[in-house]
Amino acid sequence: MERKNSVCLLIAICCFSNLALGSQDLEGKWKLLKRSIGVSAMHMALLPNDRIIAFDRSHFGPSNITLPQGKCIKGVELETSDCYAHAVEFDPITRKVRPLTIQTDTWCSSGALLANGVLVQTGGYRLGERVVRYLKPCSDCDWEEDHQNGLISPRWYASNQILPNGKIIVVGGRFQFTYEFIPRTSDSDRKILYQLPFLKETMHSPKIPNNLYPFLHLSTDGNLFIFANDRAILLDYVNNRVMKNYPVMPGGISRNYPSTGSSVLLPVNLSSINVHINNNNKPVVHSQVLICGGTLPDSNENAAEAQIFLPAAKSCGRLTITAQNPKWEMEEMPLNRVMGDMILLPTGDVLIINGAAKGTAGWGAAREPVLNPVIYCPKINRFRILSPSLIPRLYHSTAHLLSDGRVLVGGSNPNVNYNFSALFPTELSLQAFYPPYFNLMSNRSRPSISTVKPGAFLKLKYTENFLLGFKLRSGDLGEIFVTMVAPSFTTHSFAMNQRLLVLELHGA
């Protein structure tokens, strides 16, 4: 099957001869990139031109950056003009910030990258809840909003997943137990809303759903893995049919908003040794999902009504979603964490960063920021605590892998508006976290790609072979592996569309 979304991939060559997690120098480093980008990065995405798009709610009051040249907008929801920007473009190399214009409220929305590199952004709050927005990767492009051909249902706290045919599936939202597909490029596109009772069945209560921002992962068999609250299904979205009901994740912990944990599809190893035959007698590469953190189902209620901040969970669950009889394998992180971001690193390891040790997502609902990231190595099922940040990153914080291997960290605003004197002030800064592999490269050069044949990545197809040449000035090659990383859209501790492939090597 052709992967039409393969244009926006980061290729990494990893030549590591020593990845021992017990080494004392594998701590990671922090660097402040920008004291203020003007907005708190509730949402974050990386475009193919290596620019980060960060944006917040759009209709809650002034931000700390104005629109250029005295520009003001009269948005469809505003009674007065707004001269402030609520979205920006950030260049991680030059650290320059360019303000962008949004007309409707993007509060708690979702997004994905199309095959041509255009950022598609869906839903939000009030009059923004059905809007689909587009941002092209160019030096002077700005948001374009589609009100006529947008979403069928209002989508607030929904999730997105890019599909093999180039379409995006939009799943859930507050009191929305359905899914639909975008973009609809013409009137001939079917405007059909598909029912998904699973989302109603997993709602803890109308007040505290614990199933918003469901975790979506595209399985290697072509179906969609959907996790909400404490359980999951495998959905055949083409025929609107549930293929499999997975076991309830043990432990009694809720994992989705507002009891916010995080989830990743672990690296997909395309080596032939990982292929198995499924029930339809078709070869399928094994897929595993890892879900970590969260909190007790009533944690949000305790925090909001009684100011009781319950401990976050330490537990993680690992599930082979392509297995015939899948069972959860439970593990424990070294630190309790709610609202942590899980980021796939080019090495195939998982970085868990941001969040709190007590409480839940929501306004002022968390305590004890977790300043130490944790790295998880799937090969040996081990965690390691890394160097701490000096900046708490709580509700509405984000993290994103950059193309040079750093992890960009931003956001955090557990306050109704921008508030710089609260217990946990609104955070406008961006930091770069340097994972442990930067330490390993300190005494040797990093591999650099010298040749790629064919060079037209836009035409690469799934299962197609290509030649990759690289240079290394010094050092022992050690183990060599090549990974491809699809960039994500990150918000509310879930990196939507995040995917890492470990390519099969045929040698030179």
Side-chain angles (χ1 to χ4, degrees):
M1 159 185 324
E2 181 178 353
R3 298 292 185 185
K4 293 186 178 180
N5 55 323
S6 60
V7 65
C8 300
L9 291 173
L10 161 68
I11 299 180
I13 302 171
C14 304
C15 308
F16 296 153
S17 57
N18 177 19
L19 284 175
L21 293 183
S23 176
Q24 293 301 310
D25 61 350
L26 299 185
E27 296 182 341
K29 296 180 180 178
W30 291 88
K31 185 175 183 179
L32 182 66
L33 294 186
K34 196 79 172 180
R35 180 67 63 184
S36 172
I37 59 170
V39 302
S40 190
M42 181 191 298
H43 312 82
M44 190 182 289
L46 177 67
L47 299 185
N49 59 4
D50 274 344
R51 301 297 191 270
I52 282 286
I53 304 301
F55 56 99
D56 200 352
R57 297 164 59 195
S58 309
H59 293 77
F60 64 99
S63 68
N64 274 40
I65 185 171
T66 55
L67 294 169
Q69 300 174 344
K71 178 182 177 182
C72 297
I73 63 169
K74 184 67 162 61
V76 294
E77 299 181 59
L78 296 174
E79 296 179 0
T80 60
S81 295
D82 186 2
C83 305
Y84 292 89
H86 304 284
V88 298
E89 177 191 83
F90 175 73
D91 185 337
I93 303 300
T94 66
R95 306 185 194 180
K96 291 183 178 179
V97 175
R98 182 170 70 94
L100 302 172
T101 305
I102 294 181
Q103 301 281 343
T104 52
D105 200 347
T106 51
W107 188 12
C108 302
S109 49
S110 53
L113 285 178
L114 291 179
N116 57 7
V118 173
L119 175 61
V120 178
Q121 207 277 315
T122 58
Y125 187 57
R126 299 200 309 186
L127 295 184
E129 62 190 3
R130 297 176 190 262
V131 176
V132 177
R133 307 168 189 87
Y134 299 89
L135 182 62
K136 298 175 183 177
C138 64
S139 59
D140 59 352
C141 289
D142 209 335
W143 288 103
E144 301 174 10
E145 304 198 10
D146 188 347
H147 299 259
Q148 302 300 321
N149 224 8
L151 298 168
I152 302 172
S153 283
R155 302 290 176 183
W156 192 30
Y157 299 95
S159 296
N160 292 9
Q161 173 64 51
I162 189 78
L163 300 173
N165 64 2
K167 290 286 188 177
I168 297 168
I169 187 170
V170 187
V171 179
R174 193 169 181 88
F175 301 121
Q176 302 303 316
F177 313 119
T178 59
Y179 64 92
E180 58 184 289
F181 300 92
I182 59 164
R184 282 181 291 276
T185 55
S186 67
D187 292 337
S188 61
D189 281 358
R190 294 188 301 169
K191 295 185 177 181
I192 300 177
L193 196 63
Y194 299 88
Q195 300 299 313
L196 191 59
F198 169 74
L199 293 177
K200 190 170 186 179
E201 295 163 3
T202 54
M203 186 171 65
H204 176 65
S205 72
K207 188 176 181 180
I208 308 172
N210 287 338
N211 68 346
L212 299 180
Y213 278 124
F215 302 142
L216 309 181
H217 299 295
L218 184 65
S219 174
T220 49
D221 64 8
N223 296 305
L224 186 68
F225 175 86
I226 305 176
F227 185 97
N229 197 350
D230 62 356
R231 65 199 66 193
I233 59 171
L234 190 67
L235 176 69
D236 175 357
Y237 52 84
V238 175
N239 299 300
N240 190 29
R241 181 165 58 112
V242 175
M243 303 291 293
K244 185 180 295 185
N245 286 279
Y246 294 96
V248 173
M249 190 171 175
I253 297 296
S254 292
R255 310 285 176 172
N256 295 83
Y257 184 88
S259 297
T260 305
S262 191
S263 175
V264 292
L265 179 73
L266 288 175
V268 179
N269 192 328
L270 299 182
S271 172
S272 57
I273 63 174
N274 295 306
V275 175
H276 76 289
I277 305 300
N278 67 7
N279 294 332
N280 297 321
N281 293 320
K282 294 182 179 180
V284 174
V285 178
H286 276 303
S287 298
Q288 285 191 323
V289 165
L290 179 70
I291 297 173
C292 291
T295 187
L296 293 167
D298 60 348
S299 181
N300 185 268
E301 184 178 14
N302 274 274
E305 298 183 3
Q307 290 291 286
I308 297 174
F309 303 96
L310 301 178
K314 277 188 177 181
S315 60
C316 293
R318 185 166 168 171
L319 184 71
T320 303
I321 64 176
T322 49
Q324 291 188 3
N325 297 298
K327 295 181 180 179
W328 289 100
E329 299 175 15
M330 301 304 294
E331 305 176 48
E332 278 207 347
M333 299 181 287
L335 303 170
N336 301 69
R337 197 180 303 255
V338 65
M339 298 183 291
D341 287 276
M342 295 174 67
I343 303 299
L344 291 171
L345 300 178
T347 55
D349 295 330
V350 181
L351 182 72
I352 309 175
I353 199 166
N354 300 335
K358 289 185 177 181
T360 177
W363 306 129
R367 295 292 187 271
E368 297 186 15
V370 182
L371 300 177
N372 292 84
V374 166
I375 198 167
Y376 172 73
C377 181
K379 288 185 178 180
I380 58 176
N381 293 12
R382 283 187 59 190
F383 293 92
R384 176 172 167 78
I385 299 175
L386 304 178
S387 297
S389 170
L390 298 177
I391 301 175
R393 302 285 184 179
L394 300 173
Y395 187 43
H396 291 154
S397 59
T398 45
H400 203 295
L401 178 69
L402 298 176
S403 60
D404 60 9
R406 296 178 295 170
V407 175
L408 190 68
V409 179
S412 186
N413 185 20
N415 311 299
V416 176
N417 298 311
Y418 281 14
N419 187 332
F420 303 102
S421 60
L423 176 62
F424 298 111
T426 303
E427 191 55 60
L428 307 181
S429 67
L430 289 180
Q431 295 170 282
F433 180 70
Y434 293 74
Y437 45 73
F438 281 93
N439 294 22
L440 288 170
M441 290 298 176
S442 61
N443 296 321
R444 70 171 98 169
S445 64
R446 298 182 68 184
S448 60
I449 296 173
S450 56
T451 57
V452 179
K453 297 179 181 180
F457 280 100
L458 290 173
K459 297 181 180 179
L460 272 181
K461 296 179 181 179
Y462 188 60
T463 72
E464 180 179 351
N465 291 332
F466 65 96
L467 179 66
L468 184 68
F470 67 94
K471 297 178 180 179
L472 186 68
R473 289 195 300 270
S474 62
D476 178 22
L477 285 178
E479 180 185 2
I480 300 174
F481 54 101
V482 179
T483 58
M484 301 180 77
V485 184
S488 63
F489 179 94
T490 304
T491 188
H492 289 74
S493 302
F494 181 43
M496 303 175 194
N497 308 293
Q498 187 176 211
R499 194 177 189 87
L500 187 146
L501 305 179
V502 182
L503 304 186
E504 185 172 40
L505 302 182
H506 298 288

